[in-house]
Amino acid sequence: MDATDLFLAGLQLYFITMNWTVERSYCAAPITEGSDCFLCPETHEFCTAHNPLFLARPEWLRLATCFSAYAFCVGYLVILWAALTDGWAKLRAPILLFIGAKMYALIYYHTMEFTSETPPLGLGAYFGVEGPYLLAGVLVIRKVMAGSLNPLKARRSVVKYSSKRVPKAATQRALEAAIMAPNHFLSEPWRFY
């Protein structure tokens, strides 16, 4: 586990916390000054200053937040597991599917935010909150792609040979595999010595 894995694990815990607190509360009812869920007062204060559309709670945003609160939590857990166990290559397919869905959701969300009648105020603060989602997406893609190259990087050439004889069964399996290899117009160009 390297520093990027630890950073990504921390971000996933942050995202899961937001899923289970603010997003689920927002899904159920508007977040107001009097909301008593964990992080809701801070969210209300931030949105009043920087993201009024979130407090306006249009139906598309409520539905998107509900989907995020209940469905995306699973994706964050998968990424958390990959970060803690270095399982990037093994979990590649579900992670890439999730990241694709998350990036699509983020692009849609930000497009709707910035083209609305009440766009975000104070871009530094706005992207201070939204930026980790974008950064995590990029870092996760890098980790997955780097994990896919590990077998290629681990390849080596053997220059010292053992004096032990190769078992006949292993030789037979190797020859059978070689014979089954694709070849040009069935030319069977192999020669065994």
Side-chain angles (χ1 to χ4, degrees), residues 34-131:
S35 297
D36 61 352
C37 74
F38 181 66
L39 295 176
C40 282
E42 293 84 354
T43 300
H44 185 271
E45 181 182 333
F46 175 84
C47 290
T48 300
H50 303 288
N51 191 358
L53 184 64
F54 192 77
L55 294 179
R57 203 167 180 253
E59 186 62 11
W60 69 266
L61 185 52
R62 187 190 71 77
L63 291 173
T65 304
C66 291
F67 183 80
S68 174
Y70 291 96
F72 283 175
C73 192
V74 174
Y76 298 138
L77 287 169
V78 170
I79 293 171
L80 177 62
W81 181 256
L84 295 176
T85 64
D86 197 29
W88 298 108
K90 215 179 330 183
L91 295 168
R92 177 181 172 180
I95 288 173
L96 289 177
L97 285 171
F98 170 68
I99 289 297
K102 183 65 184 176
M103 289 299 170
Y104 178 79
L106 286 171
I107 290 167
Y108 176 77
Y109 171 72
H110 292 303
T111 300
M112 295 299 284
E113 277 274 358
F114 285 100
T115 58
S116 72
E117 293 177 14
T118 54
L121 310 167
L123 294 182
Y126 176 79
F127 280 109
V129 171
E130 296 296 330

Side-chain angles (χ1 to χ4, degrees), residues 16-28:
I16 292 167
T17 301
M18 294 307 287
N19 273 158
W20 282 85
T21 57
V22 174
E23 289 183 7
R24 289 181 187 215
S25 297
Y26 184 85
C27 184

Side-chain angles (χ1 to χ4, degrees), residues 172-183 186 188 190 192:
Q172 188 64 34
R173 281 195 315 268
L175 287 172
E176 288 171 4
I179 290 169
M180 298 303 292
N183 58 86
L186 293 175
E188 299 177 352
W190 45 78
F192 304 108

Side-chain angles (χ1 to χ4, degrees), residues 114-187:
F114 285 100
T115 58
S116 72
E117 293 177 14
T118 54
L121 310 167
L123 294 182
Y126 176 79
F127 280 109
V129 171
E130 296 296 330
Y133 293 96
L134 299 168
L135 177 62
V138 170
L139 291 176
V140 166
I141 290 170
R142 284 192 65 214
K143 290 299 279 188
V144 168
M145 299 318 286
S148 300
L149 296 176
N150 282 344
L152 297 175
K153 290 179 180 177
R155 185 195 137 323
R156 59 191 175 89
S157 297
V158 176
V159 293
K160 286 187 176 180
Y161 299 99
S162 169
S163 60
K164 291 192 315 185
R165 293 186 66 70
V166 177
K168 187 168 182 118
T171 304
Q172 188 64 34
R173 281 195 315 268
L175 287 172
E176 288 171 4
I179 290 169
M180 298 303 292
N183 58 86
H184 182 68
F185 293 114
L186 293 175
S187 60

